[in-house]
Amino acid sequence: MSVQVENLEKNMAKLTIEVSAEDLERAIQAAYMKEKGRISLPGFRKGKVPRKMVEKMYGAGIFYEDAANTLIQENYPQAVDESGVDIVSRPTIDVVQIETGKPFIFTAEVAVRPEVKLGAYKGIEVTKTEISVTDEEVDAAVEKERGNNARTVTVTDRPVQSGDTAVIDFEGFVDGEPFEGGKGENHSLEIGSHSFIDTFEDQLIGKNSGDEVDVSVTFPEKYQAKELAGKPALFKVKIHEIKAKELPELDDEFAQDVSEFDTLEEYKADVRKNLTEQKQNEVKRAQEDEALQKIIDASEMEIPDAMLDTQCENMLDEFAQRISQSGLSMEQYMQFSGLTPEKLKDQVRPEALTRIKSSLVLEQIAKDENIEVTDEEIDAEITKMAGAYGMEAEKLKEYMGDSEKASMKRDISVTKAVDLVMANVIEVEKAEEDKKDEAAEE
C-alpha cells in the first residue's frame, strides 16, 4: 500500500491510497467465497458455481463492492498513520480504480486540524458572582428527593391527572389510513412531559383505565415526514393502566431513609451545603465558559465544514444513545417531536462549533505553555475510570490501546490549560462588566 497527500483549500486534504493488484485479487476471492454458498446456476449444484462462471453471467464487477469495502477498511487506518496528517473528520471516500489485475486506488477527502492564532489568554476578565442558597431552594431539593423515593402505585379509583403515567396502546390514522411509526403497545406515557405531538397528552386527562379514547391532533407544518406535515390525525388509544407517585412523609424517618442523618433538620442542613457546592461549581463553569469564549473571540482559526459536520454527527450519536436508555429510538423521537435529521443537526451546530473552537484554543495553549502530562497522571486517571466502571485499573489499562491513551493525555493537558487560564483571570463585578460591554457596543 502507498499513500499520497494533496493539501486542499480551507484545511482539507485528499489522501490517494493505492493497494496492490494482489491484495485486490485476494479481496475479490474472499468476497466470492463468502457469497458462493448462496449462488446457484443451471447445471451446477448450489455453492459449487466457479467464480469465473459467476463473473461471466453477472459481470466482472459482481464482487467489486464487497472487495472495495474490505480493502478500504483494512488500508485506510494505515494510510492515515503513514500520511502524518492530523485528521479531524470522517473521510469522504471515492473509488478511483477497481479492476482485476490492476492496483485498487481510492481517495479519502478529510479535514485537517486547523492552525490557531491565539489571542490573549492571561488576565481575562470574568464576572464575579455572589453565591447564596434560599430556604425555598432547599425545600425544592428536598421535595425532589421525596419524588425520587416515591412509590409507583396503580390507580383505580380516579381518572388520569397531569403527572400520572398512563400505560397505553395507540394507533394513528391520517385520512382514515394508518401511517408508518404511528403504532405502539404498552407504552408508558408521562402526562405533562409533552413527548407526544400537539395536545395528545392533554386529551387523556380525565379518562379512566379501560377507556378507549379518540385523540385528535395536528402534525406540525414543518414535520419531518412530509406526507404527514400539517395534516390532522386521529389516534385510537386504549388506556390499560394509570400509575401515580405516592410520596413519603416528610419527617425524621424520611431523612434517615435517604441520608446518613437522624433528623430532618440535619438532612436539610446537608442539602443546603450540597446546593452551595453545586452553585460554586456552576459559577466556576460559567466563568470558565466566559473566559474561554473571550479567548476564542480574540483568536483566529478556520474551521473546515467536514470537521463541523463530524462533530455534529458525534453529538447526535451521543443523543441517540441517551434517548435509547428511555426506550425511544431516534426515528420515534423525530416522529413525535416533529424534527428532521437536518433540523436536529442545525440545532446542535452552534454548540458543536463552540466545542471545536474550545478544544483547539485549549490545545494550542497547552502547546504554547509546554504543558506536559506525566505517566503518573495518566495512571491516576485510569484508576479513576476503573473505579467508575467497577474494574481493576490494571485490567482497564490492558484494554486501552495507544489511541485511547493519547486521547486521555490530550484531555488531561486541556484540563491543565483550563486551570492555567483560570488561575490568571480577573473577577469583576457584574455592573462593571455591563458598563464595559455598553462602552464596547458604542
Side-chain angles (χ1 to χ4, degrees):
M1 185 212 74
S2 65
V3 57
Q4 293 181 335
V5 179
E6 177 187 357
N7 292 319
L8 307 176
E9 295 180 344
K10 297 182 179 180
N11 293 312
M12 297 293 292
K14 180 188 286 187
L15 310 184
T16 300
I17 299 125
E18 182 174 316
V19 183
S20 70
E22 291 78 14
D23 282 343
L24 174 58
E25 171 59 27
R26 173 183 54 78
I28 293 173
Q29 180 66 16
Y32 160 70
M33 294 300 292
K34 185 177 73 172
E35 297 295 330
K36 65 179 292 188
R38 293 191 285 268
I39 300 173
S40 61
L41 287 176
F44 296 92
R45 284 186 297 157
K46 190 173 183 179
K48 299 296 182 180
V49 185
R51 173 180 146 191
K52 290 189 179 300
M53 184 62 69
V54 177
E55 291 173 335
K56 184 177 180 180
M57 287 292 296
Y58 296 103
I62 182 66
F63 301 115
Y64 282 179
E65 184 176 352
D66 281 351
N69 288 336
T70 297
L71 291 175
I72 290 168
Q73 291 174 9
E74 288 177 353
N75 290 276
Y76 176 70
Q78 182 183 346
V80 170
D81 290 340
E82 290 188 13
S83 72
V85 176
D86 193 353
I87 294 172
V88 291
S89 74
R90 297 174 185 177
T92 299
I93 301 292
D94 184 33
V95 174
V96 175
Q97 175 175 286
I98 180 166
E99 184 179 342
T100 302
K102 294 183 179 180
F104 172 60
I105 303 173
F106 68 99
T107 61
E109 195 164 313
V110 294
V112 179
R113 184 175 299 278
E115 291 186 6
V116 178
K117 184 178 179 182
L118 279 176
Y121 57 87
K122 291 182 179 178
I124 302 295
E125 293 185 348
V126 296
T127 306
K128 183 177 182 180
T129 304
E130 298 296 334
I131 296 170
S132 64
V133 175
T134 66
D135 292 341
E136 290 76 15
E137 289 172 320
V138 173
D139 290 342
V142 172
E143 283 301 311
K144 182 178 179 181
E145 189 62 29
R146 283 182 78 198
N148 292 340
N149 286 270
R151 292 192 309 134
T152 300
V153 295
T154 300
V155 177
T156 58
D157 58 349
R158 65 165 177 79
V160 175
Q161 296 178 356
S162 181
D164 288 344
T165 295
V167 182
I168 61 172
D169 291 345
F170 61 88
E171 184 171 14
F173 299 84
V174 170
D175 298 330
E177 297 293 328
F179 56 88
E180 186 178 353
K183 185 175 182 179
E185 295 181 350
N186 292 315
H187 182 83
S188 294
L189 175 62
E190 183 181 344
I191 308 302
S193 65
H194 303 295
S195 56
F196 276 25
I197 61 169
D198 204 9
T199 59
F200 188 105
E201 297 163 29
D202 297 338
Q203 295 178 58
L204 299 185
I205 294 175
K207 308 302 181 182
N208 293 286
S209 296
D211 283 357
E212 295 185 3
V213 186
D214 286 350
V215 174
S216 297
V217 296
T218 300
F219 284 100
E221 290 292 339
K222 296 182 179 180
Y223 195 60
Q224 55 101 6
K226 289 184 172 57
E227 67 276 11
L228 300 177
K231 290 189 176 181
L234 176 68
F235 280 85
K236 297 284 187 180
V237 181
K238 172 67 179 289
I239 302 176
H240 289 299
E241 279 186 292
I242 303 170
K243 296 182 178 181
K245 289 183 177 181
E246 190 175 84
L247 297 174
E249 291 294 326
L250 189 58
D251 53 21
D252 290 345
E253 185 177 344
F254 166 73
Q256 293 164 14
D257 288 340
V258 301
S259 72
E260 60 187 24
F261 301 101
D262 293 328
T263 68
L264 183 60
E265 288 307 311
E266 289 175 315
Y267 170 60
K268 284 188 173 182
D270 187 63
V271 169
R272 185 181 295 275
K273 175 187 172 186
N274 290 334
L275 286 174
T276 301
E277 292 176 354
Q278 180 181 321
K279 285 193 173 187
Q280 288 171 338
N281 289 331
E282 288 172 356
V283 168
K284 179 183 176 184
R285 286 193 296 271
Q287 289 183 333
E288 288 175 356
D289 290 344
E290 185 181 357
L292 197 48
Q293 187 59 55
K294 288 182 177 180
I295 298 170
I296 290 171
D297 292 343
S299 302
E300 295 178 15
M301 67 200 91
E302 185 177 22
I303 309 301
D305 290 339
M307 184 181 189
L308 182 55
D309 287 340
T310 297
Q311 181 65 45
C312 289
E313 289 162 9
N314 290 340
M315 290 172 65
L316 290 180
D317 288 344
E318 293 170 6
F319 178 70
Q321 290 176 3
R322 289 198 301 272
I323 65 169
S324 69
Q325 295 172 358
S326 65
L328 278 178
S329 66
M330 279 294 282
E331 290 75 17
Q332 290 172 317
Y333 173 80
M334 288 188 288
Q335 186 82 25
F336 295 122
S337 68
L339 294 171
T340 64
E342 292 75 19
K343 286 181 181 177
L344 278 172
K345 200 169 183 178
D346 286 342
Q347 283 186 356
V348 303
R349 189 173 292 273
E351 183 183 349
L353 184 59
T354 298
R355 286 191 186 185
I356 290 171
K357 289 184 175 181
S358 298
S359 295
L360 289 173
V361 297
L362 288 171
E363 288 169 10
Q364 190 64 44
I365 290 171
K367 181 179 179 181
D368 289 357
E369 292 286 338
N370 295 315
I371 292 175
E372 296 184 355
V373 178
T374 65
D375 292 340
E376 289 76 16
E377 287 171 323
I378 293 176
D379 288 343
E381 187 62 24
I382 291 175
T383 299
K384 182 179 176 182
M385 289 177 60
Y389 293 137
M391 296 175 60
E392 293 181 3
E394 289 302 316
K395 184 64 67 176
L396 178 58
K397 189 183 290 188
E398 290 176 10
Y399 292 144
M400 296 180 67
D402 291 339
S403 61
E404 287 83 5
K405 290 178 181 177
S407 177
M408 181 178 291
K409 187 173 184 178
R410 185 165 55 248
D411 290 344
I412 295 172
S413 68
V414 163
T415 300
K416 285 186 165 187
V418 172
D419 292 341
L420 182 146
V421 169
M422 297 312 294
N424 290 278
V425 296
I426 301 170
E427 288 189 318
V428 297
E429 299 291 344
K430 179 68 174 174
E432 183 181 343
E433 183 71 9
D434 289 342
K435 289 178 182 177
K436 289 185 178 180
D437 290 341
E438 290 174 5
E441 290 175 3
E442 291 175 0

